[in-house]
Each structure stands twice: as C-alpha cells, then as structure tokens.
Amino acid sequence: MGDEDGVSVQATATTFSIVESLRDRNRSGVTELATELELSKSAVHNHLSTLVALGYVRRVDGGYELTHEFLRLGLATRERNQIYDAAKTDLRTLAGTTGEIVNLVVPEADHGVYLYRVGDSDHPIPEGGQVSLHASAAGKSILAFRDYDAVDAYIDRSGLPALTDRTVTHPATLRSQLRSIRDQRVAFDRGEQTPNWQCVASPIVVEDEPIAAISVSGPADRMRGKRLEEDATGLVVSTAKAIELEVLDSTDSEN
C-alpha cells in the first residue's frame, strides 16, 4: 500500500469515527468531536462538511446530527437478507403466542446482531445492536454449531470478557455448555449479557452452517422457571426448525 492509499484509508476511518460518535449522542459540535477523537477542529469540520454534502449528516442549532440516510442503508441491507425474509412471519407468530420479545440474531464477525425484533421496546439492547456470542443465548446457540477450531479462535480473539457476574469466562465451561446446546438445540442466558434479563434461543442451521438464531427474552422476574425452561423453549425450537425448512425450500427453488 502506497502513502496515498494509506492516507485514504485513514481518512475513511476518521469519517466513520465521527459517524459513530454522532450515533452515540443526539447532537455534537466540532469542538466536542475534536476533543473526543483527538483530532484538529479543521479536520473534523472538513469531514462533517463532506457528510453534510452527501446527506448523511445535517447541521441543527449549531451542532451536527446523523440523518435517516443511515436508516435507509440499514433497512435495505436487512431486506436483502434471506433469513430475514424467511423468518419474519414466524417470529411475529412466536411473539403473539409467547407474549414476549422475540429476536432474530445473525452472526457478524465476533458478535451477533439483532437483525429483527418483535415485541416490547424495553429490551436493553436495541434492534441493530450487537450481542456477545459467549454471553447470550442466541450467541451461544450459534457458537455451538461452529467447528472446534472456530470456537477456539473466537475464545482467543475475544478473551471471554465478563459482562455480568454470571457471564461464562472459562473456556472449558463454555465448551461444555456448547456441547449440551448442540445436542439439545437450545441455549439459555440467565443474566449473562445483561443483569436481570433472561432468554432462551435456538439456532437456525442450514447446510451445517449456523446462519442465525432466534430467541425469546424478557425481564428475569417474568422470564423464569417453567415459562423460560419449558413453555418458551419448545416454541423457540420448533420455530427455528420451521424457519430452517423455509430457508432450504427457498434455496432449492432458486437452484
């Protein structure tokens, strides 16, 4: 990579640092962004001016904020996802049957992403947000169907950080859980990702590849005991299997 290429890559990285900083706040000024990102005010202003010209940022009351162009990009990306198209109707049915929050989680790098959600908006992680694979029911159900080397690589990269006092942080304990999840096709999260929040999940596996997981989740004072471990469990597993068949049928028809 030449010097010019390096400058271009750094400029792109700076732009996305500014975008992510704006994402985490309602509005921000040039000075505030420059201080947070340790950049010159002129550099921040130049990047913002470009983003404004492209329609991704707007200036409001002396500050800058993101526009809905990013929403348009995100929705377009989701609409192109085969699993979203196959799962959304079944997830609405599952949410209606359980009366709880239902999530569709897809793997992306070393995280799971909440691609779609049906139900209460009080979930601690927003739709589109990330979840740790080792600390969530959906994430563990995805990890359980990866091969041993892939799980080892994830453990090495992530370090299995503790997100709560219930998070599994020992590799041997995690591997033991993954074996059980693979056998039963069901995983639980009892406050491992977020305190006082519990869920049950089942993977969607197509051609031996865990392409997604669905979960039913809720506050621990509601999602517990028989409701968590029996009622929701059977429905989650059967729904995941139904979605697998829909994806396979769709793939076969395309071929």
Side-chain angles (χ1 to χ4, degrees):
M1 179 182 290
D3 291 343
E4 185 175 335
D5 292 333
V7 171
S8 298
V9 170
Q10 184 57 52
T12 302
T14 299
T15 294
F16 277 96
S17 294
I18 292 170
V19 167
E20 289 172 352
S21 183
L22 290 173
R23 175 201 61 195
D24 296 335
R25 62 189 73 222
N26 289 331
R27 189 174 301 141
S28 188
V30 171
T31 300
E32 185 179 5
L33 287 168
T35 300
E36 177 185 339
L37 300 174
E38 298 182 347
L39 298 168
S40 69
K41 289 193 287 187
S42 61
V44 171
H45 182 268
N46 288 339
H47 284 275
L48 287 170
S49 296
T50 300
L51 288 165
V52 169
L54 293 172
Y56 289 96
V57 168
R58 61 187 172 193
R59 186 166 188 177
V60 180
D61 297 333
Y64 294 86
E65 63 184 25
L66 301 180
T67 70
H68 291 99
E69 281 297 299
F70 288 100
L71 176 62
R72 183 177 63 83
L73 290 178
L75 291 176
T77 301
R78 184 170 72 176
E79 290 291 336
R80 294 189 183 105
N81 192 309
Q82 182 187 31
I83 190 64
Y84 166 72
D85 188 57
K88 57 186 178 182
T89 299
D90 290 310
L91 296 188
R92 290 169 189 155
T93 300
L94 180 60
T97 303
T98 62
E100 298 291 352
I101 300 169
V102 173
N103 305 287
L104 175 64
V105 177
V106 295
E108 194 165 81
D110 283 340
H111 295 88
V113 176
Y114 285 106
L115 186 69
Y116 182 57
R117 173 173 297 142
V118 185
D120 193 335
S121 61
D122 290 337
H123 196 287
I125 301 175
E127 189 175 28
Q130 293 182 335
V131 64
S132 297
L133 294 180
H134 70 285
S136 62
K140 286 188 288 185
S141 67
I142 289 169
L143 272 181
F145 282 82
R146 289 182 173 173
D147 64 37
Y148 194 90
D149 290 341
V151 172
D152 267 358
Y154 170 79
I155 291 171
D156 289 343
R157 288 192 301 269
S158 71
L160 304 183
L163 304 181
T164 74
D165 60 3
R166 292 174 174 261
T167 306
V168 175
T169 59
H170 195 282
T173 303
L174 177 63
R175 290 193 186 95
S176 177
Q177 283 194 7
L178 296 182
R179 285 193 294 271
S180 176
I181 292 166
R182 191 179 182 99
D183 290 340
Q184 300 178 27
R185 293 184 67 94
V186 64
F188 294 95
D189 165 8
R190 297 178 174 87
E192 297 168 41
Q193 176 78 30
T194 304
N196 302 316
W197 200 267
Q198 303 197 144
C199 67
V200 56
S202 187
I204 298 171
V205 183
V206 176
E207 297 179 352
D208 297 324
E209 181 70 22
I211 62 172
I214 61 171
S215 68
V216 174
S217 58
D221 60 356
R222 192 173 71 222
M223 279 290 291
R224 63 181 180 178
K226 182 175 180 291
R227 186 174 183 84
L228 172 69
E229 298 174 11
E230 296 181 29
D231 298 343
T233 297
L235 291 167
V236 167
V237 172
S238 61
T239 301
K241 288 181 178 178
I243 294 170
E244 281 184 9
L245 292 175
E246 291 176 39
V247 174
L248 285 169
D249 288 345
S250 174
T251 302
D252 289 342
S253 64
E254 289 176 359
N255 294 334

